[in-house]
Amino acid sequence: MRTQVCVIGAGPAGLTLAHLLHRQGIECVVIEAQSQAHIESRVRAGVLEQPTVDLLTEIGLADRLRREGMLHHGINLRFDGATHRIDFAELTGGQAITVYAQQELVKDLIASLAPPILFEVDSVRVDDTRVSFVHEGVERTVDCDFVAGCDGFHGVSRASIPTGALSAYERVYPCAWLGILARTKPAAEELIYARHPDGFALHSMRGPTVTRQYLQVPPDTSLTDWPDDRIWAALSRRLGEPGLEQGEIFDRGVTALRSFVVEPMRHGSLFLVGDSAHIVPATGAKGLNLAVADAVALSYGLGAHYAGTPDELAKYSARCLRRVWQVQHFSWWMTALLHNLTGTDAFDERLRHAELDRVVAAPSAARNLAENYVGLPFAVGW
Ligand code: FAD
Ligand code: DHB
């Protein structure tokens, strides 16, 4: 098979890119290792930034998320027994976030995608501009001009780049998140980020009857050590929320917290997009949004390339990395601000407390949080 761009991976990065390429008349094929049912039910992110929603609206893909997603104009920070609302609308000139499950966005992106997606591909290999794989038991190859490696942190794209061609920058945090989905009514209208001596907790939601909640846990945590009673007791203590309801927990998982970036985000004709190039700790709710921002930058570069302006494509990596490092900084900062990290002492603890105090007391500090949380612009030029 011959196409212009072979997109590896049908997550938010790959699917957004395929839509944006198609809109510019650029041919592509998407190949995905998992089944459609699997990726449409994989529980992950839930927060869409303003620029992500604006983009999806502009390309006509936001009808359901605007109907069913929850528009939030702020978040609550809770520590020392007090709650402080960060008012995004007031601090950012009316911007907001939308709470909408990643798997629902993936469904929407797949349902309206014109380019073909081949699901359940196996043994994927990238050799320059040839991608080979097995699909339905048959060996297939795609010859293309460019390969978009949108296959996440554990994919083949980054792994197919020779050692030494990329530099990796990494921080692994001494904690993880235990995340649950529960059939309970949200205890608040907006998210609650709680700092507590026992560790961080987050109260989020997926609708009027489903909550998504997270607890800071040690990195080697086994779910068998966390029966429902223990999860509810920890959420209740750390959130300090009198309205917290208990109910059926119908999904649970443990996710490591990690910061990771490779540079550059390109090797020859292979471009790394989204989690294949970088991971952020979940505290800032940024991973999905960063994946979409990369897809925007790559579609812009490829559009310019096919229109006869190749210089724009050459800027892809530098352009993405500038935003990536802003988002890395914000995610690292939010993580350090709200978690109990081992290896820190009473002095660090007081510094962190001073910082939190400033965020809730000084509008300039609150604005910095709000601007980053609602999302930095996708400005291709900066
Ligand atoms: P992925 O979504 O990982 O997609 C990669 C795709 O490639 C997958 O479908 C995979 O099956 C496929 N693939 C892998 N290997 C191959 C191969 N060899 N061949 C073909 N296909 C392959 N981000 C936010 O912005 N906000 C949040 O609130 C948030 N919360 C999160 C909470 C949790 C618990 C977790 C785990 C993550 C969260 N994230 C959040 C991060 C977010 O989910 C990811 O950053 C996002 O999925 C990245 O999108 P992507 O398309 O780059 O990669
Ligand atoms: C959610 C996930 C996050 O990582 C976060 O910071 C806020 C909310 C969520 O899944 O709803």
Side-chain angles (χ1 to χ4, degrees), residues 5-9 13-14 17 21 29 31 131 144 146-151 157 269-273 276 298 302:
V5 181
C6 181
V7 178
I8 307 180
L17 178 65
L21 293 178
V29 172
I31 61 168
V131 179
C144 52
F146 300 104
V147 178
C150 307
D151 48 352
S157 300
S269 43
L270 168 61
F271 292 83
L272 299 178
V273 190
S276 72
L298 185 55
L302 288 170

Side-chain angles (χ1 to χ4, degrees), residues 297-309:
L298 185 55
S299 83
Y300 176 78
L302 288 170
H305 172 87
Y306 286 113
T309 325

Side-chain angles (χ1 to χ4, degrees), residues 147-198:
V147 178
C150 307
D151 48 352
F153 185 66
H154 300 288
V156 294
S157 300
R158 193 180 69 252
S160 72
I161 297 174
T163 328
L166 300 178
S167 303
Y169 302 88
E170 185 168 27
R171 179 140 311 175
V172 178
Y173 299 84
C175 55
W177 279 16
L178 191 168
I180 62 159
L181 278 171
R183 279 187 227 294
T184 55
K185 194 160 73 57
E189 286 185 0
E190 294 169 340
L191 274 57
I192 305 170
Y193 282 82
R195 177 169 166 76
H196 187 273
D198 290 357

Side-chain angles (χ1 to χ4, degrees), residues 241-317:
E241 173 52 57
L244 185 73
E245 278 186 5
Q246 297 190 13
E248 182 204 348
I249 296 176
F250 62 95
D251 186 277
R252 65 191 80 208
V254 175
T255 310
L257 291 192
R258 175 196 299 270
S259 303
F260 175 82
V261 183
V262 288
E263 298 182 1
M265 288 170 56
R266 173 184 190 171
H267 183 72
S269 43
L270 168 61
F271 292 83
L272 299 178
V273 190
D275 276 15
S276 72
H278 42 70
I279 296 288
V280 285
T283 326
K286 291 290 166 215
L288 180 160
N289 298 289
L290 206 46
V292 171
D294 289 354
V296 170
L298 185 55
S299 83
Y300 176 78
L302 288 170
H305 172 87
Y306 286 113
T309 325
D311 286 3
E312 291 302 323
L313 192 54
K315 292 179 192 157
Y316 168 75
S317 175

